[in-house]
Every structure is written in structure tokens, then in C-alpha cells.
Amino acid sequence: MAETNVRVQLVAALGCCIVAICFPAASVCRETHKERIFFNGGDDLDASAVREVYAPIGGQAVLECEAGGTPAPLIHWLRNGRRIDQGGALDESAAAAAAAAVGEEALSYEGTETNDRLSTLQLSATRSKLYVDCVGHADAGAYVCVAETPTRRIAVTYRLRIETKKVFGNRERILHKNHLETHQHRKDHSVNSVASANRCFKKNQEPVPVPARIYMWTLHRVEIEGADVQLYCRSTGSGTVKVTWLDRDGEPITEQDPQYQVEENGDLLVKSISFADNMGLYRCIAENEFSTDTVETFLYPAAREKKRV
């Protein structure tokens, strides 16, 4: 019963619009899915609605976007129609460099001989963060989260607004009430305001170091047992950013383990997955000399449907 609940909850988290009929342990997961892509977000699923994000001058805004689908979606961000460098720079040269890297980011390591012989689920959820440091008036405006698969693309718009103390009457209380969650989110996920302000002051004096940040990763993945799966972990930061994966037991994954392969872009390829050996939480850690960032990925190998005789 516990396993059934796990499967139901996981499929619900990825979106019920994908047909994946999962049964308890000794049973099957029927591969009757349809190729699709969608935004996750609980009650906030309307892709036509603009998400409002608030940040103070000199502070930091963190925009988060999550998409589910099959095959696994990739996510990138646009500003004024140009692709944003996830390192944080928004100028034209950085945007051009980011655009040139699109091919590399779209690399799939799942086109293996093993997967060619199987009918795979490819059911996945991807999450992305966009950091806007040292927020100024020029940063206000629309940012677009684009989620895509090889055949489909969807987008949702976020609007960054500058917080100001120049509010009148009841507007101050309303603003505080409506955006309390935004303030708490920034408190939990951003660098503290003092550190952010110090970085802003250094901006015109010397290159601003960027902490290690994971900007796109696989949140959940459901796949048929025996398949090879690719778990995203794309990171950026100043200097050399080292990526380390921990297995479900919390042990570092090394080149000596033949079932795992850490790719140059930080992604993890897990070969010939099984429920007994691979079901659980994996952690990706990105670190440079300035900071460490960590995300978690839940991998669920589902039993293959037995052929009827």
C-alpha cells in the first residue's frame, strides 16, 4: 500500500494529464503515455497568467519555473526576446554566447542501445531558477520561462517589479500581505541582503564573483526498469565549478561505478535502472571557491508490463 501511494503521489506531482497506470510492487506500470509538456505549479497552472515577482533596489530576485512532460523538458529564459545567460549577464554578447550553447544544453545521453530496444516512459519534471543580482530599475519588466521538448514548446511570463517604500494609504498593508510569500521565498533561497548589497558596491570596481548555482535540474523522473536515464544538473559560477553526484545512500558517485556516468555538462546517466538498486533521492552538488549549491532528484524505476501469453 505504501508503494502504491508513492507512485500515485509522484505521478500526481508530475501532472495527471500523462496516462501512466501504476500498480503495486509485484505488478506493472503500463506504458500508455502520450507525448506532452505542461507547467507545474498547483493552483497556478494558467500559462497565460503573468507571475509577479518583487525585489528591492540592490537586492536579488529569484525566478523559479517548473515543467513536466514526456520526454524530459529543457528550460531556458528570455529577456526582450533574447536568451539569457544563466550566469546572470543580460547584455548582448552574453546572450549570443548563451544562444550558441543551446545545442550543447539539448544533448541527450539517453539514445543508448539499451533504450533503442525498449519502449520507455520518459516521464519527468524539470525545475529552473533565474537569478537577477543587484536589482536596478533597468531589470524591471518581463522575463519568459520557455520549456521545450524536441517537438513541443510552451512559455510563461514573469514580471519583475521594484519594491518601493513610496506607497500610500492601505496600499502598503495590501502589498505586504500579497507578497509575504515572495519575501519568505527570497529569504529562504537568496543570499542575504548584506552580501547582495556588498556585491553591488563592487560591481563598478572589479569583476563580481558569481557563487556556484544550479540553474536547471531534474526534479522527478519515472522510467521503466532496465532503461538508461539522464538526470539534469546544469550549473554556473565564477572560476571552476565542480559537480558531484551523491547516490541514494548519500555516497559520492565515482568513475569506478559502471552503472553511473557523470557527463561534462553535469548531468548524470544511470544505466539499466532497477527498483531494488536505484529507487530514491539523488543529490547534485555544485561548488566553487565562493559557495556550494545542492539540489535533489527523485528517481522511480517502474515495473515493466508483463506480456500476456
Side-chain angles (χ1 to χ4, degrees), residues 28 56 132 137 144 167 185 208 233 235 250 261 272 303 309:
V28 303
V132 183
H137 289 290
V144 180
V167 293
H185 173 80
V208 179
C233 183
S235 60
Q261 182 175 319
S272 189
V309 180

Side-chain angles (χ1 to χ4, degrees), residues 18-23 28-34 117-122 223-225 227 302-307:
I18 289 183
V19 181
I21 307 172
C22 295
F23 298 90
V28 303
C29 184
R30 186 167 299 157
E31 302 151 58
T32 56
H33 67 285
K34 295 180 179 180
R117 296 193 300 267
L118 302 175
S119 176
T120 54
L121 278 175
Q122 301 182 29
E223 191 51 85
I224 296 296
E225 287 188 293
R304 179 172 298 279
E305 181 180 12
K306 297 180 180 178
K307 294 182 179 180

Side-chain angles (χ1 to χ4, degrees), residues 26-162:
S27 193
V28 303
C29 184
R30 186 167 299 157
E31 302 151 58
T32 56
H33 67 285
K34 295 180 179 180
E35 185 173 329
R36 192 162 183 179
I37 187 172
F38 50 90
F39 285 116
N40 288 337
D43 296 331
D44 190 22
L45 288 174
D46 184 4
S48 64
V50 177
R51 278 77 163 166
E52 302 284 347
V53 179
Y54 287 75
I57 292 292
Q60 183 191 65
V62 182
L63 285 60
E64 289 196 38
C65 185
E66 181 183 326
T70 177
L74 286 162
I75 295 176
H76 66 268
W77 296 81
L78 301 177
R79 170 73 163 156
N80 297 327
R82 294 180 177 273
R83 187 184 176 100
I84 297 175
D85 172 29
Q86 291 292 80
L90 300 178
D91 58 28
E92 292 189 10
S93 60
V102 171
E104 179 183 348
E105 291 193 0
L107 281 176
S108 173
Y109 299 100
E110 292 188 9
T112 62
E113 292 183 6
T114 299
N115 285 1
D116 288 344
R117 296 193 300 267
L118 302 175
S119 176
T120 54
L121 278 175
Q122 301 182 29
L123 179 59
S124 183
T126 305
R127 181 173 290 178
S128 176
K129 287 184 180 182
L130 174 66
Y131 294 85
V132 183
D133 293 315
C134 303
V135 171
H137 289 290
D139 297 314
Y143 295 79
V144 180
C145 171
V146 180
E148 58 186 350
T149 66
T151 61
R152 287 169 171 78
R153 175 181 292 186
I154 55 176
V156 64
T157 300
Y158 291 70
R159 187 169 300 279
L160 176 57
R161 297 187 181 278
I162 304 301

Side-chain angles (χ1 to χ4, degrees), residues 90-266:
L90 300 178
D91 58 28
E92 292 189 10
S93 60
V102 171
E104 179 183 348
E105 291 193 0
L107 281 176
S108 173
Y109 299 100
E110 292 188 9
T112 62
E113 292 183 6
T114 299
N115 285 1
D116 288 344
R117 296 193 300 267
L118 302 175
S119 176
T120 54
L121 278 175
Q122 301 182 29
L123 179 59
S124 183
T126 305
R127 181 173 290 178
S128 176
K129 287 184 180 182
L130 174 66
Y131 294 85
V132 183
D133 293 315
C134 303
V135 171
H137 289 290
D139 297 314
Y143 295 79
V144 180
C145 171
V146 180
E148 58 186 350
T149 66
T151 61
R152 287 169 171 78
R153 175 181 292 186
I154 55 176
V156 64
T157 300
Y158 291 70
R159 187 169 300 279
L160 176 57
R161 297 187 181 278
I162 304 301
E163 291 178 349
T164 174
K165 295 181 180 179
K166 295 181 180 180
V167 293
F168 303 95
N170 291 330
R171 286 190 59 200
E172 183 171 6
R173 289 193 293 273
I174 293 174
L175 183 66
H176 177 73
K177 178 181 178 181
N178 289 346
H179 304 293
L180 181 59
E181 183 177 347
T182 301
H183 283 289
Q184 183 62 40
H185 173 80
R186 190 168 61 252
K187 179 180 178 182
D188 293 340
H189 295 282
S190 302
V191 296
N192 63 66
S193 58
V194 174
S196 181
N198 287 339
R199 293 183 68 234
C200 291
F201 290 140
K202 294 178 181 178
K203 197 167 186 177
N204 295 326
Q205 302 172 11
E206 58 186 57
V208 179
V210 177
R213 292 168 174 167
I214 299 172
Y215 62 83
M216 189 186 76
W217 68 98
T218 300
L219 191 62
H220 307 291
R221 178 65 188 266
V222 181
E223 191 51 85
I224 296 296
E225 287 188 293
D228 299 338
V229 300
Q230 176 181 353
L231 306 178
Y232 300 145
C233 183
R234 310 292 172 84
S235 60
T236 187
S238 295
T240 301
V241 179
K242 178 184 177 182
V243 173
T244 303
W245 278 89
L246 304 183
D247 63 20
R248 65 176 189 170
D249 298 317
E251 297 296 326
I253 292 173
T254 66
E255 296 179 355
Q256 282 67 44
D257 193 328
Q259 190 179 26
Y260 299 104
Q261 182 175 319
V262 180
E263 307 297 345
E264 290 186 6
N265 62 0

